[in-house]
Amino acid sequence: MSKQETPPQQQFKRTMKTRHLVMLSLGGVIGTGLFFNTGYIISTTGAAGTLLAYLIGALVVWLVMVCLGELSVAMPETGAFHVYAARYLSPATGYTVAWLYWLTWTVALGSSFTAAGFCMQYWFPQIPVWIWCLVFCVAIYLLNIISTRFFAEGEFWFSLIKVITIIAFIVLGAAAMFGFIPLKDGSAAPGLSNLTQHGWLPHGILPIIMTMVAVNFAFSGTELIGIAAGETENPQKVLPLAIRTTVARLILFFVGTVLVLAALIPMEQAGIVKSPFVLVFEQIGIPYAADVVNFVILTAILSAANSGLYASGRMLWSLANEKTLPRCFARVNKRGVPQLAITVSMLGGVLALLSSVIAPDTVFVALSAISGFAVVAVWLSICASHYVFRRRHLAQGRALSELVYRAPFYPLTPLLGFALCLLACVGLAFDPSQRIALWCGIPFVLLCYAAYAITHKKPQAEEADDAA
């Protein structure tokens, strides 16, 4: 797919700094998946199984991010994934990857707004979830259409609140685990007993494989660094630093948080209607702690939705910029914001209204699974694109030293990342509550390939007529 120079009226402004990029990525990750899906994973795999699942997830994130890092530093572009897939796999694959990533975040918007509605019901149980969904849809939309710098600055402070809260949660939770802070009901400190109460792996290895997509959904958002590369100052210097710091913090935050959650919440009490974070602080005898945490979780979820709308809007812009969507989607306003692309992407928030009416506890898992499948498919394309990119780079007789940032342990890194992502998709078939992701995801992929084939026949036919 040949790319022509972007006209000035369709260009983004490079206004993001390292702190914006790191916090944008953390903001996309620390949200619905961590605060709500962790309860589902604990109830499915047990405490030790959840910890193992997140450790595997952290490995997958590291593998994908170093692959993406090499690609992004060599070619910093807005909407990077599908550009790389089109260039190094096939134009149809690039088109499909773009729509999958758009699906990832628009569906995630639905699950995020539903989760935010759950948070509000903690204080206002009499008000339906869908009303809160509508309020938050409007608020997030307004945040995104003001300006990129305003969005990035707001996301920085939102994410900082989340990071501080995660650190406080790990410290206070660990203190409760070992009896330094008494539990509200006067029971003894659990220590590490809940980790092995039902055995290390009460249901075996299969539930860990089944929940890998849910874990990957919790980690999704790290790849936002690649999306924002085209709007970052000095990307060759900033991107490697952002990738290293983001992955390190994620592993620390996620593994530490999951260890505390799994130790304090018995397997049979975990779920998704109430955040496991709130369950933990309800057990700790700190006045209003659960209310404060619920507020922070609400902020975190809305922050993740904010990042998600940013990502999905940029992906539609990038599709139009590559001439696979009408050019109207590639227009940006005087503030450098693709307003039409963001508006269309916001329609994904309608899924929240649907899921809040039709069995929110089960539909929420289904929405998360569909979003998780889509992001894992995108991660597959990142690993495959990196594998082909490095081989092509060397085949052209170019030196490795030309690459400012190189993924270590090539070719093991992209191959292992690809294999683990593929295993996560296979695991969906064994979980009845998440299997809908395959029934929706696979036909969506086939539809994208078919749509690309149909929409790109016409120009070829016209060229043949012109030649005749």
Side-chain angles (χ1 to χ4, degrees):
M1 185 187 297
S2 62
K3 186 178 178 207
Q4 299 180 3
E5 186 144 350
T6 306
Q9 68 272 21
Q10 291 164 207
Q11 290 179 347
F12 289 112
K13 299 174 181 177
R14 290 189 179 273
T15 56
M16 291 199 196
K17 303 181 186 297
T18 308
R19 65 185 181 90
H20 293 139
L21 204 58
V22 171
M23 287 303 188
L24 172 64
S25 184
L26 288 175
V29 177
I30 302 174
T32 312
L34 177 62
F35 287 127
F36 276 84
N37 270 27
T38 305
Y40 162 75
I41 297 167
I42 291 172
S43 67
T44 304
T45 67
T50 300
L51 200 55
L52 180 58
Y54 271 97
L55 285 170
I56 295 171
L59 172 62
V60 174
V61 166
W62 181 79
L63 293 168
V64 172
M65 287 300 290
V66 294
C67 290
L68 177 61
E70 184 171 315
L71 290 166
S72 297
V73 171
M75 301 163 287
E77 305 204 32
T78 297
F81 321 130
H82 85 95
V83 177
Y84 304 148
R87 197 170 294 167
Y88 297 105
L89 301 177
S90 74
T93 301
Y95 178 84
T96 301
V97 164
W99 278 113
L100 275 171
Y101 198 67
W102 180 84
L103 179 71
T104 295
W105 280 112
T106 49
V107 172
L109 281 173
S111 59
S112 292
F113 291 137
T114 303
F118 287 154
C119 286
M120 294 305 294
Q121 280 206 318
Y122 180 78
W123 294 304
F124 306 103
Q126 71 280 9
I127 299 178
V129 172
W130 72 266
I131 292 179
W132 296 116
C133 291
L134 194 58
V135 170
F136 295 138
C137 277
V138 174
I140 294 299
Y141 176 74
L142 292 176
L143 270 178
N144 267 265
I145 63 171
I146 294 174
S147 75
T148 300
R149 182 62 183 267
F150 181 83
F151 157 82
E153 198 64 41
E155 193 58 38
F156 171 80
W157 292 107
F158 276 141
S159 297
L160 187 61
I161 292 171
K162 288 191 284 190
V163 169
I164 292 171
T165 303
I166 292 291
I167 294 171
F169 175 82
I170 293 173
V171 172
L172 292 173
M177 281 168 56
F178 298 107
F180 296 106
I181 296 177
L183 295 179
K184 193 175 182 179
D185 60 2
S187 59
L192 301 175
S193 61
N194 280 332
L195 293 176
T196 56
Q197 184 180 10
H198 300 280
W200 285 103
L201 299 172
H203 302 300
I205 294 292
L206 184 59
I208 295 176
I209 298 173
M210 285 162 47
T211 57
M212 276 181 67
V213 163
V215 170
N216 289 334
F217 171 70
F219 276 115
S220 65
T222 46
E223 70 290 326
L224 281 169
I225 287 175
I227 287 282
E231 296 177 77
T232 304
E233 292 180 359
N234 194 7
Q236 282 74 21
K237 179 182 177 183
V238 168
L239 287 171
L241 177 62
I243 287 169
R244 283 195 299 270
T245 55
T246 299
V247 173
R249 290 174 188 177
L250 281 178
I251 292 173
L252 176 65
F253 294 160
F254 270 67
V255 173
T257 300
V258 169
L259 178 61
V260 170
L261 287 174
L264 290 175
I265 302 177
M267 179 179 173
E268 60 275 6
Q269 291 181 20
I272 60 159
V273 173
K274 183 180 287 187
S275 168
F277 281 71
V278 176
L279 283 175
V280 165
F281 275 93
E282 283 179 341
Q283 292 179 22
I284 299 175
I286 300 176
Y288 305 109
D291 292 277
V292 172
V293 170
N294 196 56
F295 172 75
V296 173
I297 290 172
L298 175 64
T299 306
I301 289 168
L302 294 178
S303 166
N306 197 28
S307 298
L309 184 56
Y310 168 87
S312 54
R314 264 55 178 184
M315 195 55 74
L316 284 188
W317 175 90
S318 189
L319 276 168
N321 193 51
E322 294 289 321
K323 298 183 172 61
T324 52
L325 271 185
R327 299 295 287 177
C328 59
F329 287 101
R331 294 196 191 104
V332 297
N333 60 25
K334 61 184 179 182
R335 298 182 301 274
V337 175
Q339 191 163 337
L340 179 61
I342 287 174
T343 302
V344 172
S345 297
M346 190 68 240
L347 296 177
V350 173
L351 288 169
L353 307 182
L354 177 65
S355 67
S356 65
V357 174
I358 306 173
D361 52 342
T362 53
V363 175
F364 177 81
V365 173
L367 288 178
S368 299
I370 293 169
S371 185
F373 169 83
V375 82
V376 170
V378 171
W379 288 2
L380 281 168
S381 78
I382 291 171
C383 294
S385 298
H386 172 249
Y387 179 78
V388 176
F389 165 75
R390 177 76 76 89
R391 289 190 65 184
R392 194 174 295 179
H393 181 85
L394 296 175
Q396 291 170 348
R398 300 169 69 182
L400 277 180
S401 57
E402 293 180 33
L403 298 172
V404 178
Y405 178 84
R406 294 189 296 275
F409 311 120
Y410 180 90
L412 178 62
T413 303
L415 292 177
L416 182 59
F418 189 93
L420 289 174
C421 288
L422 194 61
L423 181 63
C425 292
V426 172
L428 285 173
F430 297 94
D431 187 351
S433 63
Q434 295 191 93
R435 202 174 291 150
I436 187 174
L438 292 178
W439 301 133
C440 296
I442 292 175
F444 185 82
V445 169
L446 296 175
L447 179 64
C448 288
Y449 273 98
Y452 182 86
I454 292 168
T455 56
H456 285 71
K457 274 181 180 177
K458 187 176 179 182
Q460 291 171 0
E462 287 175 354
E463 286 173 12
D465 291 341
D466 292 342

